[in-house]
Structures are given as structure tokens and as C-alpha cells.
Amino acid sequence: MWTNFCKPWFICCLLAALTIVLLVLNVNQLEHLDHESVLATVIDSSGQDISPQATGVVRKPYCGYEHQTLSKRERLEEDSLLAALQSHEPYADLVPFMKSTDPSSSYFVILNSGAFFKVGSQLEVLVQVQDFQGRPKKYGGDYLQARIHSPKLQAGAVGRVVDYQNGFYKVFFTLLWPGKVTVSIVLVHPSEAVQILQHLQEVRPDRVYFKSLFRSGRISETTICNVCLPGNLPVCNFTDLYTGEPWFCFQPKKLPCSSRINHYKGGYLKGLLTTAEGAFFQSDINIKVPVRSSGPDWVTVIPLGVKEANDPEPSQSMENFPSGYYYKNQWRPRKFKMHQFNEPDNITECLQGKMVYLFGDSTIRQWFDYLITFVPDLVEFNLGSPKNVGPYLAVDLKHNILLRYRCHGPPIRFTTVLSNELHYVANELNRIVGGRSTVVAIAIWSHFSTFPLEVYIRRLRNIRQAVVRLLDRSPKTVVVIRTANVQELGPEVSLFNSDWFSFQLDTILRKMFSGVGVYLVDAWEMTLAHYLPHKLHPDVVIVKNQLDVFLSFVCPAKT
């Protein structure tokens, strides 16, 4: 009887013990959290909550770029690039809002407004910024954009801004067409906002986060991915074997890293700014607000005489900047002759017998969309690719034209890209034979705006090396780089895609590809100089002008 009583008691104890063990395991699972919520709370290896909300300290994420090995030449170049951008560093201390730059009380004046202007003359404008108390500021760092324009002529060009670091700025314009020319100065961000953007760029590269789906059979998991991942959770290392480009995902709890299916944008972090910091990012207050003029904001430019117009020697003011200007809504480069490809047959004749490769983000995907829409003989071949993602392919069998588009490798903020379609541009270039019939165009900038500049420098370094190899083996290959462009900004967009970020990337791109033997489509000037509102994806009239420049490189004027 005692034995019979002990058996159920022993079984009950055993079940209770098993229940406790399972409970402990489940609690341990909960402590490590699903990776979907890792951005809300970061758990370290001890199971403690180390999120910013819990500790008040933002931990610096792990970043693969910090562990790259650079040659002496690469290190010197990187240091030089970063040092060149330090001139844009704002005043060190964050000041109260009322002492920040107020565009409505700031002003500009045309210094030589009484002078006699001809086409090719230099126009100088002095800008003085003041705070919301109407007091002149004593330091620089504000981000300004400047252009001259003649609305009736649909003409426009950009100006060069020089920061004297004392609250004064000088803007230099070259007057490139006759008639009434108006000056426009815009405060994109006050120096106080620039300081915050720089801080975000350095310490919060995870403010745009990405995800990947892992699947095996009926089991699927989604985890967070990025160049930089916070905390000490196990990660899957998807660093590219050929280029060394770093990319990581948090390791799934049940599946191997090899079961990754896709990549997509997860979202944007919220609550990045304090209330005081948010005051520096207000639409119609201090984001892309015009600066008023003190006195006339326009000058009259007279045409050149016949002898001057035929003079083959350009004046010193017309050497390098700006790269071009709009006149009657057509872009006019200053260093080469641009064709107008106004008819589909013009484009077909230029591209006949050519293979055209477009690599990069959605701003160069616009070129693909324009070409297949405008040229009826270019027929898109359905590859079953996701919309707005690619890869895309179009052919014109009659004229032997092949047109391809492929997005660049991560980071890429597209909806869903299959893992096996995540190709790095450098690797794609290494697979191209090249030659007289090969044309390559690259645009890569927008998706790097949230990362430290070292990440972008590394990517461009790999692409540049691949371009040099391509041109070495096939010198007749045409390689074109599309630069960054300005875009519409609001309080939230500014934290992720500000023109200030894009300007830095654009500066680096131009310096790194200088002297390499590639052509440049200056999308920055072509969007800033135009009268249409700024957009990440410019309107078709601007895209058409970009394609005219691109095709003029492919099919230059015969001399």
C-alpha cells in the first residue's frame, strides 16, 4: 500500500520538476526577446535591460567598418576626405533655440549691385545670419543653398557658398545668360541642426533598420539586420567575401544563417531627438526657408559683343564652377557639347549595338523607366522581379540594344529584395567584359545617408577599384557616375535623408572619382538649379536632361 501511494507522489514530483525546468527555459527565451523587438529593448548577455530608456546611455553599435584594414594610401585618402568636410563642422555648444539661426531675420546683399554686368561676369553676395532675437551670430556652420534664376527664361544656375565662420557667408555666382537675373538664398539647416545631424550620423547609424526573413520548411523567423547592430546577441555574418563589405543580421533562434530568404527595409526609429533638439527642425521656421534680401535681389546682365562671344579663351570665372546651367528648360554643360535627344529614334541611333548597365538606387532606376517609356522599341522583358526593386531587363532586338538595371547591395531601403539578388556593384563590374559596345552608369548615395562616412568611403573605394580594372582591360568602355541630388525636407526626413548628408556624400564621390576616367552627370546642380520643387525622384523634365547628358557621353559630338 505504501509503495502504491509513493508511485503517484513520485510522478507528481517529477512533473512539477519538469514544469519548473520548462518555465525557466521559457523565461530565458523571453529574456532574450524576439529579434523583432530588439530595437525597443536591447538585452545583453547577462539578460539585463540595457536599452537607452533603462540606462539613459546609448551604446555604440558594433560596426564592421571600424575593423577594416586599410593600406597607408587608403588611410591617407580617408583622412583627407574626412578632414575636407571638417570645415562644415558647426559651433561646438548647442545653444538655446532663440539664439539659433533665424532665416526670417537674416539677410543678404549684392555686393557689386551697381557694377556693369556682362555674360561671364562674377556676382558676389554677402549673407549675414542672425538669431531669433535679431542679434548677429558670431559663428558659422549653417547650411545654405544658393541659386540664380530667370523665371521667364526658365534659366537657373547654382552658386558657391563660402563660410567665414563668423556669421558671414559669401556666395559666388557666374552670370551665364543675359536679362534680369534674380538671386535666391535658402537656409536648409541652422548650424545648431547641423550639429545634431552630425551627432546622429556618428552614434546612431541604426536609425534606419533592416530585416531579413529566414525560412526552412514550415519554420520562419525575422530578424533585424544592419551594418551596425547594437547589443551582444549572436549575429549572422553576411560580409561579402570578395569586397569585404560588412553586413550582419541577428541570428535566428531556431534556424541557421544559411536559411535567409530576403532583405527589406524594416523602418525608421522614432524619438531620436529631445524636445529642445526638435525645435531646430521645424518646417517653415528653419528647414529650407528663404533668406530675405536687403536691397535689390536682382541684376541686369547684358549679352557679350560679337568679338567676346567668339573669343575661344574662357574667362577665369568660367573655368570649373558651375558645371552647367538651365536656359529655356534645357541643361547646358559648360565643358562639352550636349545633344538634345528629343525623339525616340535619336536614342535608338545612339544606343544601337550597345549593352547598357545601370547600377544603383532608385534615382538611376528612373533612367530605366524613362527609356522604356520614351523609346517604344525598347521592350521590357518580364523577369518576375518585384515592382520598384528589380532586376530589370529591356531589349530592342531590331537594333541590338540591351538595357539592364540592378540595385546595389545593402544597405538598400527597398521593400523586398531576394537574398540571391543582393549583388554588390563592384562584383557586377568585375563580371563585365567591357569594350566599345558597353556602357555602365552608377548611382549610389541615398541609402548611405544614415551611416558614418567611412561606410560610404569603403563602398566607393571598392567600386572605384572595379571601375579601374574594367577600364584597364577595356579602355573603350563608357563609365558614367550620377551624383546625388537635393530633395524635399521636413522635420522627420531631415534626420535620415537631409541634403546636408547628401552634400557630404556628393563631395566624397566627386573627390574619389576625380581623374579615374569616368564621366559625371551632375544631378546635384541639375536639381538645385531648376525651378521645380526639390524631390528625391526629380520630375521627368529633369530626368530627360540627365539622360541627354548621359547619352551625350555615350555618343559624343563628332569634331
Side-chain angles (χ1 to χ4, degrees):
M1 180 176 177
W2 177 254
T3 304
N4 293 336
F5 175 80
C6 287
K7 285 182 178 180
W9 181 85
F10 175 79
I11 292 173
C12 290
C13 290
L14 182 60
L15 289 173
L18 289 173
T19 301
I20 293 172
V21 171
L22 289 173
L23 181 61
V24 170
L25 289 174
N26 285 332
V27 168
N28 189 55
Q29 292 279 351
L30 288 172
E31 284 179 339
H32 283 82
L33 293 179
D34 190 300
H35 297 317
E36 291 288 327
S37 56
V38 79
L39 288 168
T41 308
V42 183
I43 305 298
D44 71 357
S45 56
S46 65
Q48 293 178 318
D49 183 355
I50 56 170
S51 64
Q53 294 87 346
T55 64
V57 178
V58 177
R59 300 183 63 208
K60 188 174 183 180
Y62 166 76
C63 288
Y65 73 87
E66 295 176 337
H67 302 276
Q68 60 181 317
T69 302
L70 301 179
S71 67
K72 183 178 180 180
R73 175 178 294 182
E74 290 171 342
R75 175 61 64 189
L76 287 173
E77 180 188 43
E78 184 171 292
D79 291 345
S80 175
L81 290 168
L82 296 176
L85 293 169
Q86 288 305 306
S87 60
H88 303 285
E89 187 174 352
Y91 188 68
D93 298 325
L94 192 63
V95 303
F97 172 74
M98 292 303 294
K99 293 186 178 181
S100 67
T101 305
D102 175 16
S104 64
S105 64
S106 303
Y107 63 91
F108 71 86
V109 59
I110 298 176
L111 291 180
N112 44 355
S113 59
F116 183 68
F117 294 106
K118 289 185 177 181
V119 171
S121 297
Q122 192 86 352
L123 180 68
E124 297 182 9
V125 173
L126 185 68
V127 183
Q128 182 174 32
V129 295
Q130 299 187 142
D131 62 23
F132 283 89
Q133 296 173 327
R135 298 172 180 171
K137 292 185 67 176
K138 302 300 183 183
Y139 56 90
D142 300 288
Y143 179 40
L144 303 173
Q145 290 175 349
R147 61 187 285 259
I148 49 174
H149 56 104
S150 298
K152 290 184 178 180
L153 297 174
Q154 293 181 308
V158 303
R160 186 196 309 276
V161 179
V162 176
D163 183 356
Y164 289 103
Q165 299 294 326
N166 59 1
F168 286 94
Y169 302 79
K170 187 173 281 190
V171 186
F172 298 90
F173 297 100
T174 301
L175 300 169
L176 297 167
W177 63 89
K180 181 180 178 180
V181 177
T182 303
V183 175
S184 174
I185 309 292
V186 172
L187 175 75
V188 182
H189 294 300
S191 57
E192 295 76 19
V194 170
Q195 179 176 339
I196 294 168
L197 294 176
Q198 186 174 29
H199 181 72
L200 288 174
Q201 188 179 50
E202 293 172 352
V203 304
R204 295 310 304 264
D206 58 338
R207 60 190 184 279
V208 175
Y209 60 97
F210 306 85
K211 293 183 179 181
S212 275
L213 173 66
F214 295 78
R215 180 187 294 152
S216 179
R218 296 182 178 181
I219 303 175
S220 63
E221 297 181 62
T222 302
T223 74
I224 300 296
C225 307
N226 218 320
V227 174
C228 307
L229 290 175
N232 301 312
L233 294 173
V235 298
C236 295
N237 187 350
F238 294 112
T239 298
D240 184 67
L241 296 177
Y242 299 98
T243 63
E245 292 289 352
W247 191 254
F248 305 93
C249 296
F250 283 119
Q251 183 178 319
K253 292 179 289 188
K254 299 178 182 179
L255 297 175
C257 295
S258 58
S259 63
R260 183 174 65 149
I261 300 297
N262 62 26
H263 162 96
Y264 59 97
K265 180 185 70 178
Y268 300 87
L269 290 187
K270 307 293 184 181
L272 292 169
L273 304 181
T274 65
T275 302
E277 291 171 333
F280 301 118
F281 297 91
Q282 300 183 66
S283 298
D284 301 323
I285 301 295
N286 48 21
I287 298 178
K288 283 204 172 181
V289 177
V291 176
R292 63 182 175 86
S293 65
S294 176
D297 64 350
W298 57 273
V299 296
T300 299
V301 183
I302 63 173
L304 292 173
V306 175
K307 181 181 182 303
E308 295 168 308
N310 293 329
D311 188 353
E313 295 296 328
S315 65
Q316 289 297 314
S317 64
M318 297 183 68
E319 284 186 354
N320 298 313
F321 187 88
S323 67
Y325 62 100
Y326 282 105
Y327 189 76
K328 294 183 179 179
N329 226 12
Q330 294 179 350
W331 183 252
R332 296 188 176 186
R334 300 174 63 207
K335 303 192 78 173
F336 66 93
K337 176 68 175 177
M338 189 183 86
H339 300 301
Q340 297 295 324
F341 294 82
N342 296 328
E343 301 296 332
D345 289 347
N346 302 147
I347 297 178
T348 299
E349 181 182 357
C350 175
L351 295 182
Q352 184 167 356
K354 289 184 169 55
M355 295 178 289
V356 182
Y357 298 88
L358 306 178
F359 298 116
D361 54 38
S362 56
T363 61
I364 204 167
R365 189 185 67 219
Q366 283 190 286
W367 291 13
F368 182 95
D369 294 338
Y370 177 89
L371 288 171
I372 64 171
T373 301
F374 186 68
V375 183
D377 290 340
L378 264 177
V379 180
E380 184 176 4
F381 187 84
N382 186 4
L383 298 176
S385 302
K387 185 179 180 181
N388 297 331
V389 174
Y392 295 143
L393 171 68
V395 295
D396 178 351
L397 295 177
K398 180 180 178 181
H399 300 97
N400 194 28
I401 300 173
L402 177 69
L403 177 66
R404 293 178 178 270
Y405 164 77
R406 178 178 289 279
C407 67
H408 63 73
I412 187 87
R413 301 178 205 156
F414 285 179
T415 49
T416 301
V417 185
L418 296 178
S419 296
N420 59 0
E421 297 290 357
L422 290 172
H423 296 193
Y424 289 92
V425 173
N427 292 338
E428 292 296 302
L429 294 175
N430 289 333
R431 299 186 183 103
I432 295 176
V433 175
R436 190 184 301 271
S437 62
T438 302
V439 180
V440 175
I442 303 167
I444 181 166
W445 58 278
S446 179
H447 300 258
F448 289 79
S449 59
T450 57
F451 294 96
L453 296 174
E454 292 89 341
V455 176
Y456 188 60
I457 293 172
R458 176 175 194 145
R459 183 63 56 90
L460 291 189
R461 187 186 300 121
N462 281 321
I463 293 174
R464 184 179 61 185
Q465 290 171 350
V467 167
V468 170
R469 288 191 293 266
L470 173 59
L471 294 177
D472 279 347
R473 64 179 177 268
S474 303
K476 297 297 184 180
T477 306
V478 175
V479 180
V480 179
I481 306 292
R482 182 204 186 276
T483 72
N485 60 256
V486 296
Q487 60 186 291
E488 70 277 19
L489 294 179
E492 185 172 7
V493 175
S494 295
L495 305 183
F496 305 98
N497 265 43
S498 168
D499 284 354
W500 183 79
F501 294 135
S502 302
F503 177 75
Q504 290 186 309
L505 301 180
D506 190 64
T507 301
I508 290 172
L509 181 142
R510 292 169 190 267
K511 288 180 179 293
M512 291 190 69
F513 279 93
S514 175
V516 175
V518 302
Y519 299 98
L520 203 70
V521 174
D522 200 333
W524 186 269
E525 288 193 20
M526 295 176 78
T527 50
L528 181 55
H530 204 272
Y531 60 83
L532 285 174
H534 298 169
K535 293 182 180 179
L536 174 60
H537 300 109
D539 285 343
V540 65
V541 63
I542 299 177
V543 175
K544 193 267 183 190
N545 276 287
Q546 291 174 0
L547 263 298
D548 285 346
V549 175
F550 167 66
L551 293 170
S552 296
F553 293 141
V554 179
C555 304
K558 295 179 181 179
T559 58

